[in-house]
Amino acid sequence: MILIFGIWSVGVSSNAQTVNCGLTPEMEGSIGLTSMTPQDYCFDISWVQENCAPVYIRVNVNFFLDDNCEGELAAAPGVSIDLSPENAFSVAEQLIDDANAFFETMSQNLLGDNDQWHSDVHGAVVTDAQCIPFRYVLDRVTVNCDAAAQSTGINFNDFNNYGVDEATAINIFVSDVLGGPNGFIVDYDETRTVVENFNPAVLNHEMGHVLNLRHTFTEDGCDDTWDYNWEWDSDCDGVPDVFYDRCFDNEPVHNDQNACTDFCEPHPCCEWSAQNNNLMTHSRWLSDPKTAALTPCQIERMLTDLSDNLCDYVIHVDCGCPPVNAFIGTLPLPEDAVECSACFYMEASDNESLYGIEIVDGNGNIVVETGQVPGQVGQYCIRPRYDLFGNASWPNGMQSGVTYTMRLQTYNECGDMDEDEIAFTLPQICEIEPEQPEGPTVILHGTSPNPFTDDVQVFFDIKEEGMLKVHAMHANSGTYYGELLSEYHALGDGKVRHFNLSNFMTGANTIVFELNGQLQVETIIKQ
C-alpha cells in the first residue's frame, strides 16, 4: 500500500501555507522508474502534446454529512465557503472549474514563470513552459450520511462504500484529513483521492499522483525535474544540525526566527536558486497557477497513464467545445424530517449553455416542459402553494402519491447534448405551510387568468434579493419566445408583474422564473 498525502510543514517552517505532500522512500519506491513507452491505446500522445489538445477526464465528487443526514458538509476546519448540503452541487462544480482554470492559466504562462525553474543549476534538462492538456468534466456528485467518513486518517477504509462508477470516473472524496495532511491517495493504481479543502492546487497535485507522478524530491524517473538536499550549520559550530530535501520558499523560519537574517549564516533556502515551482513538490510557488510548472516528462507520464491504462476515464480528446454533462442531484432526507417538497439540484451539470427540463407522468403525459432555456441550469424545487385560507395544492396540476419522471437535457455551445433523468413521487401535502430550510429565492403563487387570451398577471414573493429573470417558451414545439424580464428585486412579498403575451401560440406555454440559481416553472394555457 502506498500512502501519498499532504502536510503543512516539515522541518524548517515557512510563513506561507501551501500544498505539501509527504511520502516515505518505501512508499515512493513502488512506482516504476523505467521510462513508460506510450502504446497510444486511447489517443495519440504525441499529437496531444504537439497540438495542445485538451484531454477530458471524468470525475465524481463525494461529500459527507452526519449519520442523521444533518449538519454541514465535512471539510477541513477553517474552510470559509458555504458548506450547507444544498450548496454541495455548486461547491463541487466550482472546485472542478477552479482546477481546470488552474491548468489553463499554467498553459498561458502569463508572467513567463511557468517553466521549471533553476534546472541548469541543479543539473536537470532545461525545458520551456508547457501546455497543460488535462481537463476534468464533473459527472456525478453525492452527499452521503456517515459521520465516520467526515474525518479520516491516511487510508480509504472510510470511503470504500461510496465510490460512484469507479470503473469510468476518478472519485474525489472531501473529508477532514487528520494529522496535518490536506490530501492523499492510496496506491498509484488507484483512481480515488481525498482532499480536505477546495484549493485547486491541492486537487491537481493529488491528481498528478493518480496519473502516475512521484514527488520531485524523490527519484521520479524524469530527467527534467530536480531535487535539492541541503544541510545547514545554524550555530556555526562546524557541524550541520538541520537537514532536509526541499525548500518551501525563500523566507524560511527556524525556531520562530528569520533564518535568512537572524543566524550566523543564512539558511540554504534563502537562495533564489533553491526555489522549486514544480506542481509535484512542496513549495509556496506551486499554489499559484502563474508560477506552477509541469515538465514534458511529467506530462508524458500522465498522458501515457491515461492512454494506456485509463481509457475508460477519458471522455473526449478535442480542441472543440468541452463535453457537456447533465446531472440531476438530490439530497438525503434528515431523520424525522417531514418531506413537504421535492427539490432537484442540477448545478453540477457541466459545460452547458442551454438546458431543458421536462416532467412526465406515469402515462408519458407532459406535465412541465421548459423548452431550451439559455444559460446554466440551477435548482428546481416543487413546493405546495398555499392560498390565503391555508388551502394547498401542487403546481401545474401535479398530485401527491403520483410517480413522475424528470428529464434534463443540456447542450454545449457546439450543440452537443447530454441527458439525465430521475423518477420521484410527490409526498402528501403538509397541512401547515412549512419552514423552507433550503431557502427558496422566489415563490410563485400562480398566474391569472389561466387560461388566458392576451394578458397575464404573475404573483410571487422574493425571498432573496437578486436579479430576477423570466423566460418563456411554447411547451409543445419548444419555440423560445425570449427573456420577458430581467430586473433587480429586493426582498418582498405580494409582488405582481403584468405581461402581454398576445404573441404566444395557443396551447400550453411555459414561464421559467430564475433567481440566484433557483428555478420555478409555471405552465399557462393560451386560448
Side-chain angles (χ1 to χ4, degrees), residues 131-149:
C131 165
I132 312 299
F134 310 102
R135 299 294 185 272
Y136 314 121
V137 177
L138 184 57
D139 192 56
R140 292 289 181 266
V141 176
T142 69
V143 179
N144 308 283
C145 306
D146 188 346

Side-chain angles (χ1 to χ4, degrees), residues 9-16 248-249 251-256 259:
S9 61
V10 178
V12 175
S13 63
S14 165
N15 289 323
F248 285 96
D249 61 20
E251 299 175 346
V253 175
H254 183 60
N255 293 335
D256 296 325

Side-chain angles (χ1 to χ4, degrees), residues 51 116 163 197 255 277 313 336 367 393 444 471 508:
N51 293 276
Q116 172 64 63
N197 60 39
N255 293 335
N277 64 329
Y313 296 77
D336 302 324
V367 178
S393 61
L444 288 183
H471 303 268

